[in-house]
Amino acid sequence: MTTDNINVDRRVRRTKKIFKSHFIDLVKEKGYKNVTITDVVDRADYNRSTFYIYYKDKEDLAEELVKETLKDLEYAFHSPFLGSSVVDYGKIIPTSNAFFRHLYDHRRVYSLLYISDTIPGFQESFLNKFKKIFYGITYLDQSNEVIGIKHFNTYKMYGSYGVILEWLEGECIETPEEIADTLLEIFKTSESAFKLEKTAIRK
């Protein structure tokens, strides 16, 4: 690739990044349905013709943003474990967890998950990507035997999903390393009993 081509690629990536960044802010401010292409180009300080070089319409921009983000999410989850056939919880280092670092670095995009008028299908696409990641995991017990309890993966997946949504909605007060360590401790904990709070039971 020539230097000119490299510079063009960088310019394209930079321009698209600017459009996406302002689009995210506008969706948070106005709601997806109320955001127009004019809003995006005015906020980005570009003209409409430049926008149409890269995108057909608002929906095209939103679709690329979601697909790109979720593709990176899946890669971030698997990247620390590439080449490993079995992952030992005890050998996972929170600082090596690219998954939570990705969520943190892209928290502005993921903040759109919990607003009412968000990008259509974003919440469903995120959950489906989450399911794909977690349903691809085979959990092993201390004897390295497969845990075949029905709904076990679903339990793990939705539990993790809830923790992550709560973290994102709380504006990621904990660092990626702290939340990764918290979830890791949850996964490593095997409880044998539980107790209920003493509250009045009414019929």
Side-chain angles (χ1 to χ4, degrees):
M1 184 178 288
T2 66
T3 302
D4 286 343
N5 287 337
I6 292 173
N7 289 335
V8 169
D9 285 346
R10 285 175 178 170
R11 186 165 63 250
V12 169
R13 289 196 300 271
R14 182 170 62 249
T15 303
K16 284 189 165 188
K17 185 177 181 180
I18 290 171
F19 279 136
K20 289 170 186 171
S21 178
H22 290 297
F23 176 68
I24 292 166
D25 289 340
L26 285 163
V27 172
K28 290 177 70 175
E29 292 170 18
K30 304 177 61 172
Y32 177 82
K33 293 176 184 176
N34 297 316
V35 175
T36 65
I37 292 172
T38 300
D39 291 330
V40 176
V41 297
D42 285 351
R43 185 71 65 92
D45 199 21
Y46 280 97
N47 54 49
R48 292 175 68 91
S49 60
T50 301
F51 179 91
Y52 287 120
I53 291 173
Y54 304 110
Y55 303 108
K56 294 182 297 183
D57 46 34
K58 177 180 73 172
E59 289 73 22
D60 191 29
L61 167 59
E63 181 180 1
E64 182 177 280
L65 174 64
V66 171
K67 284 186 175 180
E68 180 181 79
T69 302
L70 296 184
K71 180 181 178 181
D72 290 345
L73 173 74
E74 185 171 14
Y75 177 78
F77 183 88
H78 288 104
S79 60
F81 314 120
L82 294 177
S84 302
S85 57
V86 176
V87 179
D88 185 339
Y89 285 144
K91 295 180 181 179
I92 297 177
I93 302 173
T95 53
S96 70
N97 198 320
F99 181 68
F100 286 96
R101 174 53 58 180
H102 163 85
L103 290 166
Y104 182 82
D105 290 343
H106 296 83
R107 60 192 181 278
R108 289 179 60 248
V109 183
Y110 290 115
S111 69
L112 300 180
L113 287 169
Y114 47 84
I115 66 173
S116 56
D117 185 8
T118 189
I119 297 171
F122 183 32
Q123 294 159 329
E124 182 180 0
S125 295
F126 178 70
L127 179 57
N128 287 338
K129 180 64 70 174
F130 220 75
K131 287 179 179 178
K132 179 183 177 183
I133 291 171
F134 274 80
Y135 289 167
I137 298 172
T138 299
Y139 293 98
L140 307 175
D141 61 20
Q142 293 182 345
S143 301
N144 273 353
E145 296 294 326
V146 174
I147 298 175
I149 302 173
K150 190 176 182 180
H151 305 308
F152 190 80
N153 277 51
T154 301
Y155 171 77
K156 289 283 191 179
M157 185 276 293
Y158 275 107
S160 302
Y161 182 73
V163 169
I164 287 169
L165 285 185
E166 187 174 77
W167 178 55
L168 290 170
E169 193 166 4
E171 299 183 353
C172 302
I173 294 176
E174 296 167 276
T175 67
E177 293 73 30
E178 288 171 338
I179 194 67
D181 191 45
T182 296
L183 199 55
L184 181 59
E185 285 302 311
I186 292 171
F187 268 59
K188 288 161 60 177
T189 299
S190 297
E191 68 274 26
S192 59
F194 70 91
K195 64 179 181 178
L196 296 172
E197 294 295 327
K198 295 181 179 179
T199 56
I201 298 176
R202 298 177 181 176
K203 291 186 179 180

